[in-house]
Amino acid sequence: MLRIIPFLFLVLCGPVLGGPQTNFHGNMTDQELFWGTDQYDFSVVVPAAGLECFWHFAHRGERFYLSFMVQWVTGVGHDRHLSVTVNAPSSLIMATVDDAKGQINFETEETGFYQMCFSNFHNRFGTMQVFLSFGVYYDGYKDPDKTKEEEKKKKEEASKDLNNTLSVIEGATHKVENHVFHMFRYYNFGRMRKSADFFLLLSNSQYITWWSLFLSLLIVTSGYLQLLFLKRLFISKSGTEEKKPRC
């Protein structure tokens, strides 16, 4: 028993070799880690007079896009305007939109995390739900290391006057992927419109239901009061003979 205790002590409290790992991709640069066409779409609820911000990574010279649409608004004013601002990593304002829906698309001039802020300062007493779709895509991007290799290949191909079928297939594949990506972008914007119309129809249905119920109660109450008033007009008081008027 005494021999087992030191063994357990070494197993449980032995020397730590390195501690927690914080760099899971030590052999990868940020160029390789964050590179690629990506897309995110989700809904977020912005509170009354609130501000919600998100960050997304993009490289210099690539395309950054953002599409948004207000789905529903609660409160008294029901102002559907939303103030949207996109800032560069150096805090430079890249684009601003103040509307219920909009699209932002620009070429990034810096490499880093771009900030997207959504402000609901128009509604002081009402929240709103916003559907977002944002991301980056790369038109004609080529990695510097790959460009050097491709230049060498092109020189060799030019000297040999050979047609590289694989390069043609690769270029056509990238074009198809790019067109499919943009197709999904427009599809998401159409889905935004559909969801916004659905919530608008739902709110109108609730409004018509409650307003019809209120008018029905008002009509019934007014009819009852009118009937009670007319009934009182025809009430005759029956008195005794002593109280009858005499000639």
Side-chain angles (χ1 to χ4, degrees), residues 55 86-94 109-115:
W55 286 262
V86 179
N87 300 322
S90 60
S91 300
L92 180 66
I93 297 178
M94 301 299 297
E109 299 178 355
E110 303 176 24
T111 301
F113 287 91
Y114 285 76
Q115 184 186 40

Side-chain angles (χ1 to χ4, degrees), residues 4-163:
I4 297 176
I5 294 176
F7 176 74
L8 293 176
F9 181 78
L10 289 174
V11 171
L12 297 176
C13 304
V16 179
L17 300 177
Q21 185 177 1
T22 58
N23 188 7
F24 294 95
H25 303 280
N27 55 351
M28 294 178 63
T29 61
D30 61 345
Q31 195 87 353
E32 299 173 348
L33 185 60
F34 290 101
W35 200 266
T37 302
D38 53 8
Q39 180 180 2
Y40 301 93
D41 50 345
F42 54 88
S43 297
V44 60
V45 176
V46 184
L51 180 68
E52 295 287 341
C53 293
F54 302 92
W55 286 262
H56 190 62
F57 188 86
H59 290 275
R60 179 183 178 183
E62 306 311 322
R63 304 297 301 182
F64 181 93
Y65 74 93
L66 168 65
S67 302
F68 68 92
M69 181 176 291
V70 177
Q71 293 181 324
W72 52 260
V73 183
T74 62
V76 181
H78 291 281
D79 193 349
R80 300 179 67 88
H81 281 74
L82 179 68
S83 179
V84 181
T85 305
V86 179
N87 300 322
S90 60
S91 300
L92 180 66
I93 297 178
M94 301 299 297
T96 57
V97 178
D98 192 355
D99 201 350
K101 61 181 178 181
Q103 295 184 5
I104 298 174
N105 194 340
F106 60 89
E107 183 177 350
T108 57
E109 299 178 355
E110 303 176 24
T111 301
F113 287 91
Y114 285 76
Q115 184 186 40
M116 299 165 288
C117 291
F118 305 88
S119 178
N120 187 20
F121 69 90
H122 293 286
N123 291 308
R124 296 291 180 180
F125 304 99
T127 61
M128 65 169 53
Q129 179 172 312
V130 187
F131 186 85
L132 308 177
S133 177
F134 60 90
V136 292
Y137 60 93
Y138 306 94
D139 286 335
Y141 167 76
K142 294 181 180 179
D143 196 4
D145 296 332
K146 294 182 179 180
T147 52
K148 293 180 181 179
E149 295 179 359
E150 290 180 358
E151 288 177 359
K152 292 180 181 180
K153 290 181 180 180
K154 287 182 180 180
K155 290 180 181 180
E156 293 177 357
E157 290 174 0
S159 62
K160 295 179 181 180
D161 293 331
L162 296 176
N163 293 326

